[in-house]
Amino acid sequence: MRDRAGAERCLERPFFARDPETLAADLLGRVLVRRLEDGTRLAGRIVETEAYLGVIDRAAHTFGGRRTARNEAMYGEPGTLYVYFTYGMHHCANVVCGRKDEPVAVLLRGLEPVDGIEVMQRHRRGARPGNEPRATDLCSGPAKLCQAMRIDRSLNHAALPRQGAVWIEAGRPVGDAEVVRCPRIGVAYAGDWADRPLRFLIRGNAHVSVKAAGDRGPG
DNA sequence: ATGACGATTTACT
DNA sequence: GTAAATCGTCATA
């Protein structure tokens, strides 16, 4: 992509202070940026998200008002990063939104790599010299993108608007006609909530985790 | 203290 | 398509 940035704008708190469905759609086309300790810039265009609606949402970690050490970040200010560890080996990253103490968030599920692609390839598990993952396998999933961007629990509670080790730049938003809505992935346990169309992806994009039924590509 | 279970990925058959 | 990997977290006791 050509969202190369001389002076890209870092998204500020008010951008995140909205309901998760609206934010999940509006995050498409924005650019997640990671600054490593050595100054390396990693960046990817957000192509897939999911909204988690908090206390009413059976699929959410905060369903029923559950509040534990793990999900505490979801009760923080909008624009907080919520990183959790799952399956004994994977990290997933969420953008907390809504209002403070309203535990709603957007899960980041897919990125189209923009900057630092070779570094991301080295970060991905299973990467072997001479057999690096294809670009569409680098960040096509919530745990894959955390691996590639080196996002782990040390970044839980990070403030995205502060532009520290991780933030989101404005990029270029995606028009409604380019957005596909469908049910979320991996939440079959959530009863009725499993079928709600709370997953958002850019139509026809090759960097998504699971192709959506009915996504016939651009146009 | 214990046991069941993941907002997943990968390697097989 | 099916199954293994792998362990922190949380509900139950």
Side-chain angles (χ1 to χ4, degrees):
Chain A
M1 284 311 295
R2 58 167 170 301
D3 276 308
R4 264 297 5 198
E8 262 285 13
R9 185 165 61 87
C10 169
L11 294 173
E12 302 294 339
R13 178 107 54 214
F15 178 86
F16 302 106
R18 293 181 287 162
D19 73 89
E21 292 186 67
T22 300
L23 184 67
D26 199 5
L27 278 172
L28 297 177
R30 313 299 188 164
V31 179
L32 179 69
V33 182
R34 172 87 168 94
R35 181 74 70 186
L36 300 180
E37 297 74 11
D38 68 358
T40 301
R41 175 189 162 101
L42 306 178
R45 178 177 178 242
I46 298 171
V47 302
E48 177 184 352
T49 58
E50 283 178 358
Y52 285 84
L53 305 198
V55 298
I56 61 172
D57 180 357
R58 187 152 209 101
H61 290 165
T62 52
F63 173 65
R66 286 201 310 272
R67 183 168 188 165
T68 66
R70 177 172 80 146
N71 67 21
E72 179 62 27
M74 283 190 70
Y75 289 84
E77 298 284 349
T80 299
L81 194 68
Y82 167 42
V83 182
Y84 67 89
F85 182 69
T86 189
Y87 289 103
M89 65 191 91
H90 296 304
H91 298 277
C92 296
N94 299 255
V95 177
V96 175
C97 57
R99 296 161 311 193
K100 172 146 176 58
D101 291 318
E102 179 191 25
V104 295
V106 174
L107 173 68
L108 302 177
R109 289 195 55 95
L111 303 178
E112 181 173 325
V114 174
D115 292 326
I117 294 177
E118 292 183 5
V119 175
M120 291 190 212
Q121 285 173 328
R122 290 201 294 273
H123 288 170
R124 288 276 287 115
R125 174 164 160 243
R128 304 178 290 291
N131 190 16
E132 277 74 21
R134 295 196 318 278
T136 52
D137 281 332
L138 273 187
C139 300
S140 54
K144 291 180 183 179
L145 73 87
C146 283
Q147 263 179 32
M149 302 280 279
R150 191 165 282 174
I151 291 171
D152 61 26
R153 274 170 299 180
S154 71
L155 293 177
N156 191 25
H157 293 282
L160 297 172
R162 205 157 290 187
Q163 196 163 336
V166 59
W167 65 92
I168 298 177
E169 295 179 351
R172 200 170 36 192
V174 170
D176 289 348
E178 285 184 80
V179 176
V180 175
R181 281 187 75 143
C182 57
R184 294 173 293 187
I185 303 295
V187 296
Y189 57 84
D192 307 334
W193 284 89
D195 302 319
R196 298 258 197 139
L198 295 173
R199 177 174 179 235
F200 300 79
L201 43 82
I202 296 180
R203 184 181 303 282
N205 193 280
H207 298 262
V208 301
S209 60
V210 178
K211 194 164 182 184
D215 182 356
R216 288 181 279 273

